[in-house]
Amino acid sequence: MAAIDDTGSWHYGPLPSTDDAPAWIYGIVPDGWIAGMPDVTVDRDEMIIICPLPTPDHPADATESDRAATEEGRISRFREATRDMRVQIAQQLQYRYHRQSSWGARCGSTTMVFTHQSLPVTTRLRQPERLVLDTLVGSGVAASRSDALAWCVRLVEQHAEDWLKELREAMVSVDELRRRGPSV
């Protein structure tokens, strides 16, 4: 959490652990609200809480479009019915964990995030890097340098997922080779 120190400078101090956040949230929400432990994703600024909702019983002849619409309807009803209480819980979360909280819900295969923070991030870019952003803006891929940078981050995130998956698979292969090798 940002704070001003004795010299008048901004700094980030230690933040409270959020290891118990899913359990704490599960305990504070009224019974029957959610169908299990919430998924909580945390960074130093925000907690995104995804509440699992009971999956509706779909008719056997329901199309994927019907299923998605039913699940979106359940999520919308949850959002409206729980708004005031979620605001109260968010205030308690901010006090306890020193972060803003954002809410969403998951029903079946549909997940919706109701609100989330969009925070400025200061960075220093040299001209070649700025030219990349300007190319994305000029070509219509992004509306601004800010959008272009967010687009780049999502692209890196996507490729990092593939790379990490390959790395994990390679580690499993190494473990298997070790198991088959001679004992030491």
Side-chain angles (χ1 to χ4, degrees), residues 84-95:
D84 293 338
M85 181 66 82
R86 284 186 292 108
V87 169
Q88 291 175 15
I89 295 170
Q91 291 169 344
Q92 294 178 52
L93 285 166
Q94 185 169 3
Y95 179 78

Side-chain angles (χ1 to χ4, degrees), residues 15-176:
L15 290 168
S17 170
T18 57
D19 292 345
D20 67 345
W24 190 87
I25 294 163
Y26 186 71
I28 197 167
V29 299
D31 291 339
W33 254 33
I34 57 179
M37 196 75 73
D39 293 325
V40 180
T41 306
V42 180
D43 67 14
R44 71 180 188 200
D45 300 304
E46 175 182 30
M47 301 173 67
I48 298 180
I49 303 150
I50 304 295
C51 298
L53 305 180
T55 303
D57 292 327
H58 299 286
D61 61 344
T63 65
E64 284 303 312
S65 178
D66 293 339
R67 291 175 189 273
T70 302
E71 292 167 359
E72 287 175 20
R74 280 278 164 95
I75 292 171
S76 293
R77 180 178 68 190
F78 172 81
R79 180 181 188 183
E80 294 306 316
T82 63
R83 185 183 310 270
D84 293 338
M85 181 66 82
R86 284 186 292 108
V87 169
Q88 291 175 15
I89 295 170
Q91 291 169 344
Q92 294 178 52
L93 285 166
Q94 185 169 3
Y95 179 78
R96 182 177 175 97
Y97 298 109
H98 299 203
R99 294 167 175 89
Q100 296 288 323
S101 57
S102 301
W103 295 84
R106 183 183 64 253
C107 182
S109 61
T110 304
T111 300
M112 296 173 67
V113 178
F114 309 146
T115 58
H116 56 86
Q117 308 296 315
S118 179
L119 302 172
V121 177
T122 304
T123 185
R124 296 182 188 277
L125 300 176
R126 298 184 190 278
Q127 188 182 35
E129 296 149 342
R130 293 190 311 266
L131 288 172
V132 169
L133 299 181
D134 292 342
T135 299
L136 293 170
V137 172
S139 66
V141 171
S144 66
R145 281 182 169 177
S146 177
D147 288 344
L149 187 57
W151 184 88
C152 291
V153 168
R154 286 190 299 273
L155 183 64
V156 168
E157 178 185 37
Q158 176 185 3
H159 290 287
E161 289 283 329
D162 295 341
W163 184 81
L164 288 172
K165 180 181 176 195
E166 287 180 40
L167 181 61
R168 288 183 190 110
E169 290 169 356
M171 291 168 51
V172 168
S173 296
V174 169
D175 288 342
E176 179 59 31

